[in-house]
Amino acid sequence: QAVDILLPGLLKDGSYQLRIRAATLLSEKDPQKAVDYTAEAIMKSEQVGEQQQAVLLLGKINTPAAKELLGNYAKRFSNPPSERPYLY
């Protein structure tokens, strides 16, 4: 289908709202690509809204990779603020 071809390309769009929506739709067909997007968005996006939506999406993806990544972030940010690494 055309949607399956277009979605991965939309993960690089200039609009973070479009990127997160594409990743959400892609998570049903190709969860690993969505996990890869969320990891990059959380660490590199300058848009707080995109980071927040990426964390929410990651929590909805039911794969071992998604659970491991979310667990890593939970450990990382459960430290006191002075010991937390910056996102970027």
Side-chain angles (χ1 to χ4, degrees):
Q1 287 186 348
V3 171
D4 296 335
I5 295 168
L6 293 174
L7 286 177
L10 292 175
L11 297 177
K12 300 293 182 187
D13 192 84
S15 166
Y16 86 84
Q17 292 98 340
L18 188 55
R19 290 192 301 266
I20 196 72
R21 186 67 185 133
T24 301
L25 293 171
L26 190 60
S27 69
E28 297 171 12
K29 297 248 180 189
D30 192 342
Q32 188 55 51
K33 281 187 182 169
V35 169
D36 294 342
Y37 158 79
T38 61
E40 184 174 336
I42 292 166
M43 295 304 292
K44 295 182 180 178
S45 178
E46 294 180 9
Q47 300 291 327
V48 173
E50 183 173 24
Q51 293 172 337
Q52 292 170 335
Q53 291 296 313
V55 170
L56 290 172
L57 176 57
L58 190 59
K60 294 177 184 177
I61 300 172
N62 191 19
T63 66
K67 290 177 182 180
E68 179 181 357
L69 189 57
L70 194 58
N72 289 342
Y73 288 129
K75 286 180 200 169
R76 184 178 198 178
F77 295 111
S78 64
N79 293 331
S82 62
E83 296 176 20
R84 291 183 198 160
Y86 291 101
L87 286 176
Y88 42 81

